[in-house]
């Protein structure tokens, strides 16, 4: 998003950040979108809009630390007037890396890497399903955990390698869709490598751990490889969720390829397969996406299909979404 207002205010920074800052940059950025979509074969076309404004304040302390706090006003809140969203504070510099505390909307390492396959718009499993009680669920993915009150550390890149770790304190998290409940803290760590001798190649690996119940420990992991050459980017990814019982051994595989037709127009295609425990039915997703951007205006489209949603052999759905987005 493009900043539409930036002001240097040392006094404001001093009142909002409890450090000795010489100056601060205050910026506001925003965006809005309107889309029409159909998430199920039998549904009529629906419409929705998103809008948000993000305020970011960044300054440097006397000892060389950069402190950045960010707050988003998101119109997608329950109240018609909107709600605050994605609150965080970051502290760090080029030598030590960055420590982030996300009061709301934080990404763990695996949560941010649940699917990093190249795509022009949507993930291929981005589809909702109807439940008997009228609520909705997402497709099953291996994503670790994230959300409120999450700590994260991101190291600087050293010869193309960077280290990442995240921690979310103890607390019961209710089950949601394919994500199980947990009764303990969650932690993960990962490494990303972009070898200097192989331009366009990037590799990532992360592992995490939590207790689903007082007697059941779960390990999660993901490994991905992407390679960009010319206008093409290709990628493959494997993820696992392992516990003591046979029903807790889940795995997923995905691949994707994108092509930049020019600087403004991109297309992509990908597939994602999820195998759950002892189930003999795999959740299989595929999708095509395209996007065109010019002067802060984007037109994006995704056409996805998923068979055996949440490994249910009788639940197959097609979906599409076309969105018009504006950044300012």
């Amino acid at each position: 998003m493009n900043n539409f207002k930036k002001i240097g205010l040392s006094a404001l920074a001093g009142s909002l950040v409890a450090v000795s800052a010489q100056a601060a940059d205050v910026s506001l950025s925003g965006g809005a979108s309107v889309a029409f979509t159909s998430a199920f074969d039998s549904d009529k076309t629906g419409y929705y809009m998103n809008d948000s404004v993000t305020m970011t304040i960044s300054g440097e302390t006397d000892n060389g630390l950069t402190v950045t706090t960010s707050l988003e006003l998101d119109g997608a809140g329950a109240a018609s007037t909107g709600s605050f969203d994605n609150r965080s504070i970051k502290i760090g510099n080029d030598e030590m890396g960055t420590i982030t505390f996300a009061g709301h909307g934080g990404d763990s390492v695996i949560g941010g890497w649940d699917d990093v396959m190249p795509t022009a718009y949507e993930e291929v499993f981005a589809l909702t399903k109807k439940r008997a009680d009228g609520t909705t669920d997402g497709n099953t993915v291996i994503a670790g955990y994230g959300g409120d009150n999450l700590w994260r550390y991101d190291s600087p890149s050293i010869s193309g390698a960077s280290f990442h770790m995240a921690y979310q304190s103890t607390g019961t998290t209710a089950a949601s869709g394919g994500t199980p409940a947990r009764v303990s803290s969650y932690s993960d760590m990962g490494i990303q490598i972009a070898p200097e001798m192989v331009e366009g190649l990037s590799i990532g690996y992360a592992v995490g751990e939590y207790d689903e119940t007082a007697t059941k420990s779960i390990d999660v992991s993901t490994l991905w490889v992407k390679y960009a050459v010319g206008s093409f980017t290709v990628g493959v990814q494997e993820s696992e969720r392992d516990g003591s019982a046979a029903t807790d051994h889940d795995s997923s595989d995905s691949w994707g390829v994108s092509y930049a037709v020019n600087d403004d127009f991109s297309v992509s295609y990908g597939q994602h397969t999820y195998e759950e425990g002892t189930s003999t039915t795999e959740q299989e997703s595929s999708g095509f996406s395209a996007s065109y951007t010019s002067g802060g205006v984007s037109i994006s489209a995704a056409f996805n299909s998923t068979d055996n949603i949440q490994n249910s052999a009788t639940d197959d759905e097609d979906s599409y979404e076309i969105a018009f987005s504006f950044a300012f």
Side-chain angles (χ1 to χ4, degrees):
M1 298 180 181
N2 299 319
N3 293 339
F4 65 82
K5 191 174 184 181
K6 180 172 285 189
I7 314 169
L9 294 176
S10 59
L12 179 59
S15 66
L16 295 179
V17 183
V19 294
S20 176
Q22 298 302 313
D25 289 328
V26 180
S27 64
L28 293 177
S29 62
S33 65
V34 60
F36 57 94
T37 179
S38 177
F40 316 103
D41 291 334
S42 59
D43 274 8
K44 296 181 179 179
T45 299
Y47 307 90
Y48 73 88
M49 66 170 288
N50 287 322
D51 55 81
S52 68
V53 175
T54 300
M55 181 175 68
T56 302
I57 304 175
S58 181
E60 186 173 325
T61 67
D62 291 337
N63 57 6
L65 290 178
T66 298
V67 181
T68 303
T69 183
S70 179
L71 176 65
E72 179 187 14
L73 177 63
D74 188 350
S80 60
T81 56
S83 62
F84 288 107
D85 199 2
N86 292 350
R87 298 178 289 112
S88 67
I89 182 170
K90 298 182 179 183
I91 304 172
N93 56 35
D94 293 340
E95 288 75 29
M96 66 167 282
T98 303
I99 297 173
T100 302
F101 177 75
H104 182 77
D107 275 333
S108 63
V109 183
I110 295 181
W113 291 355
D114 64 341
D115 187 280
V116 298
M117 293 300 91
T119 180
Y121 180 43
E122 278 284 9
E123 298 166 321
V124 299
F125 53 76
L127 175 72
T128 55
K129 65 166 289 187
K130 292 178 179 177
R131 302 177 63 184
D133 61 4
T135 60
T136 61
D137 268 344
N139 291 339
T140 308
V141 296
I142 297 174
Y145 285 91
D148 300 349
N149 301 325
L150 181 141
W151 290 95
R152 175 163 174 156
Y153 170 73
D154 298 282
S155 78
S157 178
I158 303 174
S159 299
S162 59
F163 178 75
H164 313 267
M165 60 185 302
Y167 173 80
Q168 193 176 39
S169 61
T170 302
T172 300
T173 300
S176 175
T179 303
R182 80 168 199 263
V183 297
S184 72
S185 60
Y186 171 80
S187 61
D188 63 14
M189 62 182 64
I191 185 171
Q192 182 173 346
I193 303 173
E196 295 178 346
M197 69 289 295
V198 185
E199 185 178 356
L201 177 66
S202 59
I203 304 168
Y205 177 69
V207 294
E209 182 180 17
Y210 65 96
D211 290 333
E212 186 173 277
T213 68
T215 59
K216 182 191 292 186
S217 178
I218 300 293
D219 297 321
V220 290
S221 64
T222 190
L223 170 66
W224 55 266
V225 179
K226 290 198 297 184
Y227 181 60
V229 54
S231 298
F232 284 94
T233 301
V234 297
V236 293
Q237 184 168 2
E238 294 185 358
S239 302
E240 293 185 352
R241 174 183 176 274
D242 294 319
S244 56
T247 54
D248 296 320
H249 296 303
D250 303 347
S251 63
S252 67
D253 300 281
S254 59
W255 67 269
V257 56
S258 66
Y259 177 69
V261 180
N262 52 46
D263 291 341
D264 301 324
F265 181 48
S266 297
V267 295
S268 66
Y269 177 80
Q271 294 183 351
H272 178 274
T273 301
Y274 189 98
E275 183 177 353
E276 183 179 28
T278 57
S279 174
T280 59
T281 303
E282 294 182 343
Q283 175 184 279
E284 299 175 328
S285 303
S286 62
F288 168 82
S289 290
S291 65
Y292 176 79
T293 301
S294 178
V297 179
S298 297
I299 303 173
S300 306
F303 302 88
N304 293 345
S305 176
T306 296
D307 294 335
N308 313 320
I309 297 175
Q310 293 193 9
N311 304 96
S312 173
T314 59
D315 202 345
D316 303 336
E317 299 286 358
D318 295 326
S319 69
Y320 70 85
E321 179 174 291
I322 300 175
F324 299 85
S325 304
F326 311 89
F328 46 86

